[in-house]
Amino acid sequence: MKKCIAFHSYKGGTGKSTISANISVLLVKRGYNVLLLDMDVYAPTLQTYFSQEPTYWINNFLFNTAEFENVIYDLTRLIRNYPTSQDPQQKLGKLFVSFSNSSKEEITKLDGTLRQDASKLELLRKFIMIKEDMAYQNDIDYIIIDTSPGIRFWSINSLAIADLILLSLKMDSIDIEGTKKMASEIYSAFTKLGTKSVLLFNRAAGYCLPPNLIQETSYAPEANYANVLTEQSTITDRLKKDVDMEIIGNIPCYCDIQFDNKEFLTVLKHPYHPFTHLLNNLVDKIDKM
Ligand SMILES: Nc1ncnc2c1ncn2[C@@H]1O[C@H](COP(=O)(O)OP(=O)(O)O)[C@@H](O)[C@H]1O
Ligand SMILES: [Mg+2]
């Protein structure tokens, strides 16, 4: 296995689910086998990106009511059969996704704060097995974990098994203060153990993208948001200094993504969208780390 990556943030709505789902697809398109885990167990949303109605959930594996093979869904065909997939012969990796059950009973059952120490340890043991045993048995190259925002039982567990923590944030003061706090109180403990953590700005100061540009293959997104980057550079410089973390990317807020009434996989739906271009840059960097 190459890497286990956790997407985390202080607040919700910073793009963890959107980016983890889209990055997983891009990695599969590069030939990697990916296991995408929905560990935002308190408010899972990954189902919507893949339009799935699972029978088994990651909850079943954690509580020993299903084998791992039953709780992972091979969704590679969604990528292969997508109408914009240019080359049906392209050598894809495999995409496995495990979803989290959003029913109130299941969330309560899983919530660490309500559990006895012994059963918490058993849950944790099963969770670690996913990285240590299951990923190897299924020849997984990348585990991508979509986590809950803030400091909660399952987000801490996810950060603990990650090799790389991608902390996403939006540009507003609460997020920045919260992020600084998490970096100093939580991430520093993991980085001492060798985990790498980096910052990813998402939904940075926005603008609407005219639909005709989305179709434009030669569109150069960097040139068009250079002014946005300049405006935000003061904040990013300050944050970089305060939290001592590398900034791995800066993704603007695109109105067509934000205001669509259904979540979708932008990298499949709009292969020439600047969002897709920026996520490909992100994958280049992740892959080299
Ligand atoms: N770069 C972006 N531009 C516009 N909308 C975005 C962007 N990234 C995410 N979104 C939208 O923001 C909302 C919150 O994103 P989501 O991935 O659910 O955040 P989180 O998982 O961190 O709570 C979603 O509706 C998503 O489509
Ligand atoms: Mg989410």
Side-chain angles (χ1 to χ4, degrees):
M1 200 186 70
K2 272 177 79 93
K3 228 174 270 144
C4 174
I5 306 173
F7 283 84
H8 189 227
S9 63
Y10 179 67
K11 288 204 302 190
T14 60
K16 293 181 296 300
S17 304
T18 308
I19 297 173
S20 49
N22 279 284
I23 287 275
S24 298
V25 170
L26 291 179
L27 286 166
V28 170
K29 289 183 107 182
R30 291 183 186 207
Y32 291 120
N33 296 335
V34 175
L35 171 61
L36 172 61
L37 300 177
D38 194 346
M39 291 310 293
D40 186 358
V41 300
Y42 310 96
T45 56
L46 281 188
Q47 247 183 289
T48 55
Y49 291 84
F50 298 95
S51 308
Q52 294 295 302
E53 292 297 335
T55 314
Y56 293 105
W57 313 84
I58 194 149
N59 313 58
N60 294 104
F61 175 71
L62 295 173
F63 285 115
N64 295 315
T65 51
E67 296 298 323
F68 190 69
E69 276 59 35
N70 298 122
V71 308
I72 54 173
Y73 288 81
D74 184 345
L75 302 182
T76 317
R77 66 180 187 289
L78 297 184
I79 305 176
R80 191 183 311 285
N81 300 338
Y82 205 87
T84 58
S85 289
Q86 295 98 331
D87 177 8
Q89 303 305 322
Q90 184 183 21
K91 169 102 183 59
L92 297 177
K94 280 192 174 297
L95 174 64
F96 295 104
V97 187
S98 192
F99 300 96
S100 189
N101 195 324
S102 61
S103 78
K104 189 168 161 285
E105 297 72 39
E106 288 297 329
I107 293 173
T108 315
K109 215 169 122 192
L110 206 54
D111 191 356
T113 55
L114 304 174
R115 305 192 65 78
Q116 304 293 320
D117 283 350
S119 66
K120 264 191 199 173
L121 277 182
E122 177 54 19
L123 279 178
L124 198 51
R125 190 187 68 79
K126 289 287 295 208
F127 185 57
I128 293 170
M129 263 177 78
I130 295 177
K131 184 180 177 192
E132 301 296 322
D133 300 332
M134 301 303 152
Y136 283 98
Q137 285 171 27
N138 290 280
D139 200 17
I140 299 297
D141 299 303
Y142 278 96
I143 302 179
I144 306 289
I145 312 181
D146 181 19
T147 73
S148 309
I151 302 163
R152 309 183 77 167
F153 184 66
W154 285 105
S155 40
I156 298 294
N157 292 342
S158 302
L159 300 180
I161 69 161
D163 306 301
L164 173 65
I165 299 171
L166 252 133
L167 172 62
S168 56
L169 72 163
K170 292 192 289 182
M171 290 281 187
D172 64 49
S173 57
I174 303 171
D175 229 356
I176 290 174
E177 289 311 312
T179 300
K180 269 163 53 179
K181 200 167 142 62
M182 272 193 333
S184 62
E185 292 176 8
I186 307 291
Y187 297 167
S188 58
F190 293 121
T191 41
K192 277 188 199 124
L193 300 171
T195 312
K196 202 168 161 44
S197 60
V198 293
L199 290 173
L200 172 65
F201 288 105
N202 184 37
R203 300 177 69 186
Y207 60 93
C208 283
L209 187 79
N212 60 328
L213 281 184
I214 295 172
Q215 308 302 332
E216 184 61 67
T217 56
S218 62
Y219 179 61
E222 284 89 349
N224 289 278
Y225 73 95
N227 56 337
V228 174
L229 293 187
T230 315
E231 275 167 33
Q232 292 173 355
S233 66
T234 324
I235 299 180
T236 51
D237 285 351
R238 211 188 84 206
L239 197 65
K240 207 154 106 187
K241 202 164 115 259
D242 285 355
V243 304
D244 190 27
M245 275 165 74
E246 178 193 336
I247 297 169
I248 196 172
N250 194 334
I251 304 170
C253 188
Y254 297 104
C255 298
D256 57 324
I257 300 178
Q258 171 150 351
F259 296 122
D260 202 281
N261 56 13
K262 188 179 177 301
E263 300 299 345
F264 54 89
L265 291 162
T266 306
V267 297
L268 286 181
K269 194 171 174 186
H270 300 300
Y272 300 115
H273 197 294
F275 180 83
T276 305
H277 174 83
L278 291 173
L279 285 201
N280 259 311
N281 290 350
L282 187 62
V283 171
D284 288 342
K285 288 185 189 166
I286 287 173
D287 208 18
K288 284 197 200 106
M289 284 176 137

